[in-house]
């Protein structure tokens, strides 16, 4: 497989909400099924930095370092060789139209371009994104380095997914691979999530405005490689 994109993903803030599987059932791509941890189904609001971004080995001026915020959920696909644990996106927000356009064309991902900012101090991370008066933000205060989460833990389930799946209509699913080393987590001392889920993601997600996250993680991140996607054949190959 050919590497389509390389970058560093750093300072990942992940606010994780338990939801009913029925909320996501109609969004699950053909050939995959919802993935659960300890019988629970999750969506995650994720904000992070793209750094040193290269597409097909080339960097594009003004599109090298930028923020992304996405809402994702978790699926799996069983092949003859392995169970591939992956993610699907409800929406991904980036600060430049060209980035959103490339992601939609090459991966079919639901990207939108918004104004965005971030701030990082010694023990604080803040991400903000807005369109006019439609403004949202997430802030966390971090503490000690907790290291790589234990095998089969909730933390490992949330951060260790190495496949992406895109629903391209009722009969087609595309799959792409993501490579990175295991990530270390930082302690989250406090968090403040000012997000209107209904305005961002539709009425189905509005109830999250009143919910507290099941968990909030901060991952240090690493270098990553995203490979060019391919359609899943209906015989599973």
């Amino acid at each position: 497989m050919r590497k389509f994109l390389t970058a560093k993903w750093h300072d990942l803030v992940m606010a994780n909400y338990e939801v009913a599987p029925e909320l996501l059932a109609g969004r699950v791509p053909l050939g995959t099924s919802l993935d659960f941890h300890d019988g629970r189904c999750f969506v995650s609001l994720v904000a992070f930095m793209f750094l040193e971004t290269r597409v097909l080995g080339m960097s594009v001026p003004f599109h090298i370092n930028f923020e992304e915020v996405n809402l994702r959920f978790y699926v799996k696909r069983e092949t003859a060789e392995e169970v591939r644990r992956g993610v699907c996106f409800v929406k991904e927000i980036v600060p430049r139209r060209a980035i959103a356009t490339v992601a939609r064309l090459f991966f079919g991902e639901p990207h939108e371009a918004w104004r965005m900012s971030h701030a990082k101090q010694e023990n604080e991370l803040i991400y903000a994104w807005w369109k006019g008066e439609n403004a949202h933000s997430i802030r966390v205060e971090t503490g000690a380095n907790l290291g790589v989460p234990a095998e089969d833990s909730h933390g490992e389930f949330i951060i260790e997914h190495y496949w992406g799946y895109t629903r391209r209509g009722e009969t087609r699913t595309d799959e792409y691979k993501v490579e990175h080393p295991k990530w270390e987590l930082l302690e989250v001392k406090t968090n403040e999530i000012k997000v209107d889920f209904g305005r961002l993601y539709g009425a189905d997600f509005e109830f999250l405005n009143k919910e507290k996250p099941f968990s909030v993680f901060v991952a240090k991140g690493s270098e990553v490689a995203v490979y060019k996607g391919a359609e899943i054949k209906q015989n599973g190959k």
Side-chain angles (χ1 to χ4, degrees):
M1 290 186 291
R2 185 182 184 186
K3 291 181 182 179
F4 178 81
L5 179 147
T6 60
K8 292 180 179 178
W9 291 353
H10 277 199
D11 299 328
L12 296 97
V13 180
M14 303 175 171
N16 311 298
Y17 296 82
E18 184 178 0
V19 298
E22 293 77 14
L23 175 69
L24 304 171
R27 299 176 180 269
V28 177
L30 187 68
T32 71
S33 59
L34 286 172
D35 199 4
F36 298 82
H37 185 258
D38 286 344
R40 295 185 172 97
C41 181
F42 292 97
V43 297
S44 297
L45 179 70
V46 182
F48 66 104
M49 290 300 301
F50 257 96
L51 302 173
E52 300 180 21
T53 306
R54 291 178 176 270
V55 177
L56 298 176
M58 297 179 291
S59 58
V60 180
F62 309 111
H63 297 77
I64 297 171
N65 302 322
F66 54 91
E67 303 88 354
E68 178 175 318
V69 173
N70 64 62
L71 185 70
R72 73 186 198 183
F73 62 96
Y74 303 92
V75 298
K76 62 183 179 180
R77 183 168 87 93
E78 298 186 22
T79 72
E81 297 79 23
E82 61 182 338
V83 176
R84 296 180 174 178
R85 296 172 59 196
V87 301
C88 294
F89 295 99
V90 177
K91 183 184 292 185
E92 298 168 83
I93 295 171
V94 291
R96 295 189 180 274
R97 287 191 179 92
I99 299 167
T101 299
V102 168
R104 287 195 297 265
L105 288 176
F106 285 91
F107 291 95
E109 295 285 16
H111 275 69
E112 293 183 4
W114 290 49
R115 297 185 70 184
M116 305 185 76
S117 70
H118 77 282
K120 181 179 181 180
Q121 299 181 4
E122 183 177 358
N123 295 311
E124 184 181 58
L125 285 169
I126 303 173
Y127 291 93
W129 59 105
W130 63 96
K131 276 187 176 182
E133 297 181 356
N134 188 1
H136 313 267
S137 65
I138 183 169
R139 183 197 67 83
V140 294
E141 179 188 4
T142 60
N145 187 329
L146 303 177
V148 174
E151 185 176 353
D152 295 327
S153 66
H154 173 60
E156 184 196 50
F157 174 82
I158 294 296
I159 68 173
E160 300 298 335
H161 287 78
Y162 297 98
W163 297 90
Y165 293 94
T166 306
R167 184 178 181 178
R168 296 258 194 156
E170 296 296 325
T171 60
R172 175 178 169 182
T173 298
D174 284 4
E175 174 188 70
Y176 58 92
K177 185 177 181 180
V178 180
E179 284 186 345
H180 64 76
K182 290 183 177 293
W183 287 336
E184 297 177 344
L185 295 180
L186 299 178
E187 175 190 10
V188 176
K189 291 184 174 180
T190 63
N191 70 84
E192 185 178 32
I193 300 169
K194 295 182 177 180
V195 172
D196 187 331
F197 286 90
R199 291 188 73 180
L200 267 176
Y201 305 113
D204 287 349
F205 294 94
E206 187 173 3
F207 75 98
L208 293 177
N209 293 345
K210 299 179 181 179
E211 297 291 326
K212 290 186 177 180
F214 182 88
S215 60
V216 179
F217 296 134
V218 172
K220 294 176 67 176
S222 67
E223 294 183 352
V224 300
V226 180
Y227 289 80
K228 190 175 185 301
E231 181 180 356
I232 296 175
K233 304 302 180 182
Q234 295 313 301
N235 60 8
K237 296 182 179 179

